[in-house]
Amino acid sequence: MYDPATRRCTVALAGHPPPVLTDPQGRVTFPDLPTGTPLGMGLGSLFRSAELELPQGSVLGLYIDGLVEARDHDIEEGMNRLGGAMAQPGLPLEDLCARALEAVRGRAASDDVTLLLVRTRLPGAAHERAGM
């Protein structure tokens, strides 16, 4: 959940890797967040959340593990590739998505691939989003 007035984003993980964050200067991070049980795995599971501050112009990327890991590639290697693709925050979101997906093209399909990118804006500014 993101509040553009305070620039605070509340995040809870439910079995997926941490989001990728790119600040307006192009610094990429994968915040260390509390892990949670995958959705649908047990009744009454509690999800711990964390708050992040996202400066105006930041890019937040939500993705599933199929984007960053495969049988023949370590997840760290995949996260490094994703981070490299996301290090140009001035690009349109569609171009950032394309750069991130280039790294998985040609690999044998062993899992689904999903990526959702959003860029933070002040309230009232034009909204932009892209997903692939």
Side-chain angles (χ1 to χ4, degrees), residues 12-18 34-39 41 47 63-65 69:
L13 299 181
H16 290 292
T35 59
T37 305
L39 293 176
M41 299 294 291
F47 296 95
Y63 58 97
I64 61 174
D65 61 352
E69 74 177 343

Side-chain angles (χ1 to χ4, degrees), residues 1 6 8 13 29 38 42 51 54-55 62 64 76 78 80-81 90-91 98 117 120 123-125 127 129-132:
M1 181 169 45
T6 63
R8 304 294 293 174
L13 299 181
T29 59
E51 275 199 359
L54 305 178
L62 305 174
I64 61 174
E76 288 291 324
N80 287 335
R81 280 193 314 269
L91 289 178
L117 299 179
T120 60
H127 298 285
R129 67 176 179 215
M132 294 189 168

Side-chain angles (χ1 to χ4, degrees), residues 63-87:
Y63 58 97
I64 61 174
D65 61 352
L67 181 66
V68 294
E69 74 177 343
R71 291 185 183 138
D72 58 342
H73 292 95
D74 181 77
I75 191 167
E76 288 291 324
E77 180 183 331
M79 290 175 76
N80 287 335
R81 280 193 314 269
L82 176 58
M86 298 295 298

